Amino acid sequence: MSADDSVDETAATAESDDRHDFWAEAIADEIEHGEPDDPIVIKGGVSPSGVAHLGNVNEIMRGYFVAEVLRDRGHAVRQVFTSDDRDPLRKLPRKLADSDGQIVGLGEVDAGALGRNLGKPYTDIPDPFGKADSYAAHFAALLEADAERLGVDIEMFSNTDLYVEGTFDPVVERVLREVDTARDVLAEYQAKAGDDYVPFNPICSECGKLTETVTSVDLDAETVDYVCTDMEVGDETIEGCGHDGTATFREGKLPWRFEWPGQWQVLDVDFEPFGKDHAEGSWPSGVDIAETVLGIEPPEPMVYEWFTLNGETLSSSAGNIVTVPELLELLEPEVIRYFFALHPRKARDLDLSQLDQLVDDFDRFEAASYGAVDDESVTAFAEAAYPHTVDEVADEQPTRLPYTFAAVLGMVDDPALREKLARDEGHIPADADEATVEAALARVERARNWAERIDNAYNYRLQADLPETEFDDTTVDALDALAAIVADGADGETIQAAIYDTAREHDIEPGDLFEAGYRLFFDETQGPRLGEFLGDLEQEFVVDRLRRER
Ligand SMILES: [Zn+2]
């Protein structure tokens, strides 16, 4: 298949898109069109790195929605995931995630031990945190935990296991038997495919590193002879030890361009989503190798756009990442699932400072699925996708606090006051039962975490007790005057305007009066829009506090 064919795939999907309101339905059509046997196998894959982050979740969630749609249509579906853990560690990661998914610097682990393992497969490198069987097992566990946190059931496969157990034997045998064809195909995609090139990297029995200089192949014995020479990986050179040795087909690995189609064969893959980088890189060669060298049908592909985080490319080394556990401190799992339910071909930015907008969008999407939004385009998408973003579709539309309002409540510690404020503002219905109230208020902690993480205009704490303050007589008079206005029943906007007016009347700077207010309510010198915040609070409390009485 040439690059042009992959454009055709896109066109076919676009046509199918027109018939459906949810992209996963269109992909499911394409898969069914290939008449696969049940169970339908959907694959994702990941290379072990320092941190499992939200970019990896693309691989989990894109496949998940397609799996769910196919299950709704009566198919048995397996969602499998390969960890490309026979790959060598190429360079030291700058950041690692510990077994709880918390990001730590390289300084917190034995970096020297990691450095000595450069060039070895991830499965042969000890877990830097000393818990799992290997670096690879540690990383795979992180990803499995993320999938579980998002409610997605995946079957993890270790590439190393697939080699060691002999599952890959027929693939390796075929590639090495068809080595001339393999070289010819490869030559169309990369420079390194000369007459001596053998697409198999044995693990040196002496130094444990992957090597690439195969000197002869014995198809009957299923072994290769090699010399452990230097290996170029990207910009790095991994030094060989010079050892002459023999390795079996189970003691090495295929280069990635062959390994990927090999996975399709041994796992019987029907569908695989992948990022744009693969679409331009290894997908066309993978299809060619599958058809020409292995003689198998490639799976149905789907290309997704990478999203950016805070406007920048996701990057572990640059520190521009967010993990699933981190994001779950800020968002409900259904909101994260919603983010990945949006169309995969559209580039998006996940801006943590504007998570309120994402949550508002989700709330509208949820409301639309209950027929509460007068917009057919939103409603049609919501009806198709919403059931797959929540654990269970509730009979009644869930009560949700707007995220920024939840952030306002996050400035208040007292749960009873939070509930009262939410009821006063009409965000909780009068007849709501205890469970509804509890579920609605659960968002407050997340919005409060958000305020702390972003340090935005909601990152303040209402002081339950009167802070120690010292005001001059003019300020004291102004605060008393303001108290009288609040006692008269002024709303938030009126209080905000009254702060300016009162300051002017008492011949003090408005900024100084605001500061006095922030001192009284937050024990800070600055804060949110004060008038509106005070308008949300209990009137009596505000009046007493302005009078420095409690
Ligand atoms: Zn060696």
Side-chain angles (χ1 to χ4, degrees):
M1 191 188 262
S2 70
D4 288 338
D5 292 320
S6 56
V7 175
D8 287 345
E9 296 284 349
T10 312
T13 305
E15 269 169 40
S16 186
D17 264 1
D18 292 341
R19 298 197 300 274
H20 290 292
D21 300 304
F22 183 26
W23 57 268
E25 305 260 6
I27 298 288
D29 282 1
E30 299 292 328
I31 296 168
E32 282 183 325
H33 189 69
E35 297 179 357
D37 295 330
D38 274 2
I40 294 174
V41 179
I42 293 180
K43 183 175 122 44
V46 66
S47 299
S49 65
V51 181
H53 59 74
L54 202 66
N56 304 123
V57 173
N58 261 315
E59 293 278 317
I60 299 172
M61 292 311 298
R62 301 305 188 180
Y64 163 78
F65 286 114
V66 176
E68 285 291 285
V69 167
L70 287 166
R71 286 181 186 123
D72 272 3
R73 295 184 186 178
H75 295 284
V77 184
R78 291 170 64 199
Q79 197 176 346
V80 304
F81 226 81
T82 53
S83 174
D84 300 330
D85 54 12
R86 197 156 246 200
D87 289 7
L89 175 67
R90 294 180 166 89
K91 58 180 179 188
L92 293 184
R94 285 170 54 183
K95 301 275 178 192
L96 290 157
D98 67 17
S99 53
D100 298 323
Q102 298 301 310
I103 298 173
V104 301
L106 198 55
E108 294 183 45
V109 298
D110 187 349
L114 270 184
R116 287 191 293 280
N117 286 303
L118 283 175
K120 291 185 191 171
Y122 283 100
T123 37
D124 291 340
I125 301 173
D127 171 14
F129 299 94
K131 289 183 182 169
D133 287 346
S134 67
Y135 190 120
H138 165 73
F139 187 83
L142 289 177
L143 201 78
E144 264 185 305
D146 282 350
E148 201 179 316
R149 287 180 183 108
L150 294 172
V152 179
D153 201 12
I154 58 171
E155 286 175 60
M156 237 15 217
F157 284 89
S158 150
N159 253 354
T160 291
D161 285 352
L162 293 176
Y163 284 106
V164 170
E165 290 161 5
T167 311
F168 264 128
D169 280 355
V171 181
V172 178
E173 198 273 338
R174 175 112 177 189
V175 168
L176 296 184
R177 182 152 46 84
E178 306 283 339
V179 68
D180 291 335
T181 315
R183 281 184 198 126
D184 287 349
V185 171
L186 197 61
E188 291 180 35
Y189 304 95
Q190 68 178 43
K192 193 164 74 179
D195 290 347
D196 302 336
Y197 180 74
V198 177
F200 189 74
N201 302 133
I203 299 166
C204 173
S205 61
E206 195 67 26
C207 69
K209 293 178 186 174
L210 281 152
T211 70
E212 60 183 358
T213 307
V214 172
T215 50
S216 69
V217 176
D218 187 334
L219 288 171
D220 295 330
E222 302 203 330
T223 57
V224 300
D225 293 333
Y226 63 88
V227 184
C228 183
T229 53
D230 292 358
M231 181 155 157
E232 309 285 333
V233 270
D235 301 335
E236 321 280 323
T237 302
I238 294 169
E239 276 180 29
C241 70
H243 177 69
D244 273 299
T246 302
T248 70
F249 289 178
R250 300 180 185 189
E251 294 167 338
K253 74 184 290 294
L254 291 161
W256 167 242
R257 284 184 192 275
F258 292 88
E259 191 172 70
W260 195 20
Q263 292 171 340
W264 300 338
Q265 177 177 329
V266 301
L267 296 172
D268 203 10
V269 179
D270 298 300
F271 168 64
E272 179 154 8
F274 45 84
K276 220 172 127 184
D277 48 338
H278 277 346
E280 288 150 14
S282 40
W283 169 252
S285 66
V287 169
D288 208 346
I289 288 164
E291 291 172 343
T292 315
V293 182
L294 302 180
I296 61 158
E297 274 289 307
E300 184 65 33
M302 185 191 84
V303 181
Y304 58 78
E305 285 281 343
W306 289 104
F307 61 89
T308 51
L309 179 68
N310 303 325
E312 305 279 341
T313 307
L314 287 166
S315 162
S316 305
S317 55
N320 194 46
I321 43 166
V322 62
T323 64
V324 171
E326 283 179 316
L327 206 55
L328 281 170
E329 288 175 8
L330 315 178
L331 298 173
E332 291 99 355
E334 53 267 37
V335 179
I336 300 177
R337 287 194 287 257
Y338 163 74
F339 179 73
F340 289 102
L342 298 171
H343 206 291
R345 295 307 295 263
K346 191 166 172 236
R348 271 167 232 285
D349 184 47
L350 182 67
D351 185 343
L352 295 186
S353 71
Q354 293 178 13
L355 282 187
D356 52 320
Q357 291 176 16
L358 176 65
V359 179
D360 287 352
D361 287 349
F362 168 79
D363 289 352
R364 188 159 182 267
F365 163 80
E366 180 172 74
S369 81
Y370 286 89
V373 172
D374 187 17
D375 182 335
E376 186 41 40
S377 66
V378 179
T379 303
F381 169 60
E383 280 173 352
Y386 178 75
H388 307 302
T389 64
V390 288
D391 294 332
E392 208 173 321
V393 179
D395 293 338
E396 302 268 330
Q397 184 185 334
T399 297
R400 304 276 189 187
L401 304 179
Y403 195 69
T404 49
F405 182 74
V408 170
L409 296 192
M411 296 189 235
V412 176
D413 284 324
D414 179 9
L417 181 54
R418 285 180 182 178
E419 181 179 338
K420 181 183 180 301
L421 297 175
R423 283 182 184 279
D424 287 352
E425 288 295 308
H427 293 306
I428 294 178
D431 61 353
D433 59 22
E434 210 175 306
T436 305
V437 174
E438 198 182 316
L441 289 175
R443 186 172 272 180
V444 175
E445 281 308 314
R446 290 191 153 104
R448 178 167 169 154
N449 293 337
W450 173 63
E452 281 175 10
R453 175 162 178 145
I454 306 298
D455 193 18
N456 59 15
Y458 304 99
N459 191 19
Y460 298 97
R461 298 286 165 266
L462 178 67
Q463 299 299 303
D465 299 315
L466 180 67
E468 249 180 67
T469 53
E470 212 176 305
F471 299 124
D472 60 32
D473 293 346
T474 326
T475 307
V476 165
D477 287 346
L479 289 169
D480 286 340
L482 198 58
I485 294 167
V486 177
D488 274 349
D491 64 9
E493 257 177 72
T494 312
I495 299 172
Q496 181 77 7
I499 299 172
Y500 287 97
D501 293 342
T502 308
R504 209 168 299 123
E505 284 157 17
H506 289 79
D507 206 20
I508 55 177
E509 290 293 326
D512 292 342
L513 189 53
F514 274 102
E515 190 178 322
Y518 293 135
R519 277 262 168 253
L520 282 173
F521 289 92
F522 303 109
D523 201 14
E524 297 258 7
T525 53
Q526 50 184 349
R529 278 176 68 84
L530 188 61
E532 282 163 27
F533 178 73
L534 299 185
D536 283 340
L537 298 179
E538 196 186 17
Q539 191 192 85
E540 210 185 311
F541 169 79
V542 174
V543 171
D544 290 353
R545 181 59 58 87
L546 287 170
R547 290 177 175 153
R548 287 95 49 218
E549 286 167 6
R550 64 159 161 158

